[in-house]
Amino acid sequence: MKINKVGQIAIPIRDMKRAIEFYENVLGLKLLFKTDQLGFFDCDGVRLLLALPEKESSDYLSSIIYYQVDNINQAYDELLNRGVQIVQKPHIIAKTNKIETWMTFFKDSEGNTLALMSESEV
């Protein structure tokens, strides 16, 4: 078996309307379709699935999704201007002799931690 790319990522949510608003209007992702329990977005070929818990007692654990952006400082400023809760400001996470990798972490409307990342030549 060979895995080529991420095809879909499920993100647990608590409120469908609020989550759809965040992912569509704050992050600017394209809404593909939604049901009462599920919302599907396209992120450049990777499908994001927003899902309400099947059980009331479900945990809200989530993997961190790293969204790649061209200019992390500009993207960070846009998140701040949109009232997004920031966990960590942009910072260098790795540096080689040719590439710097920057990241910033933030919360979505459901309390999940997400990240923006940017790589640039030194």
Side-chain angles (χ1 to χ4, degrees), residues 12-93:
I13 62 168
R14 292 184 176 103
D15 182 295
M16 182 62 69
K17 183 178 178 183
R18 183 178 65 202
I20 293 285
E21 168 74 19
F22 182 86
Y23 282 84
E24 186 171 30
N25 298 322
V26 175
L27 294 185
L29 297 176
K30 180 184 176 189
L31 177 65
L32 298 172
F33 60 95
K34 64 180 177 173
T35 68
D36 291 340
Q37 299 291 312
L38 305 170
F40 295 87
F41 285 86
D42 177 57
C43 184
D44 195 29
V46 175
R47 191 166 55 198
L48 301 180
L49 161 62
L50 306 182
L52 290 167
E54 292 182 22
K55 299 178 185 176
E56 193 71 27
S57 63
S58 294
D59 291 334
Y60 289 94
L61 301 175
S62 175
S63 298
I64 297 175
I65 301 170
Y66 296 81
Y67 297 99
Q68 189 149 9
V69 296
D70 291 330
N71 185 322
I72 198 159
N73 290 313
Q74 181 182 18
Y76 169 79
D77 288 341
E78 288 178 27
L79 290 178
L80 278 179
N81 290 335
R82 294 175 183 177
V84 174
Q85 178 187 351
I86 302 298
V87 176
Q88 275 187 327
K89 294 179 180 180
H91 59 283
I92 293 177
I93 201 84

Side-chain angles (χ1 to χ4, degrees), residues 101-121:
T101 302
W102 287 74
M103 291 187 184
T104 183
F105 294 87
F106 62 99
K107 296 282 186 178
D108 73 1
S109 61
E110 307 308 298
N112 297 303
T113 299
L114 302 173
L116 298 178
M117 64 179 288
S118 182
E119 294 182 327
S120 58
E121 291 186 22

